[in-house]
Amino acid sequence: MEPNFRDPRTAKIEKVLSPDFIPMFGGRPLRTDRIDKDDGLDLKILLNTTRDVSQFLAKL
């Protein structure tokens, strides 16, 4: 029988132990390539052609 309670933790142990987990203040991943003007222009175009943030993030 399942216990009848809600788990209030925001960071569950299953997520923390997964290899793709990024801690809140862990910084950004190491970048090997430079961000050039074309990348910035592509992001501006994408930002101006999507309706909301969720659609923007889905297209990234």
Side-chain angles (χ1 to χ4, degrees):
M1 178 184 256
E2 291 284 319
N4 192 14
F5 66 90
R6 185 172 127 352
D7 190 358
R9 299 175 298 166
T10 54
K12 300 194 182 335
I13 193 72
E14 300 83 27
K15 284 185 180 180
V16 174
L17 293 178
S18 73
D20 63 343
F21 178 75
I22 301 172
M24 179 182 259
F25 297 108
R28 67 174 181 81
L30 181 63
R31 177 179 289 277
T32 57
D33 301 347
R34 277 184 15 159
I35 299 174
D36 59 2
K37 290 182 182 178
D38 290 338
D39 294 328
L41 184 60
D42 290 343
L43 283 175
K44 284 181 184 178
I45 292 170
L46 186 61
L47 184 60
N48 288 308
T49 57
T50 53
R51 296 177 191 224
D52 57 14
V53 175
S54 60
Q55 187 181 20
F56 174 75
L57 293 175
K59 289 192 175 194
L60 282 178

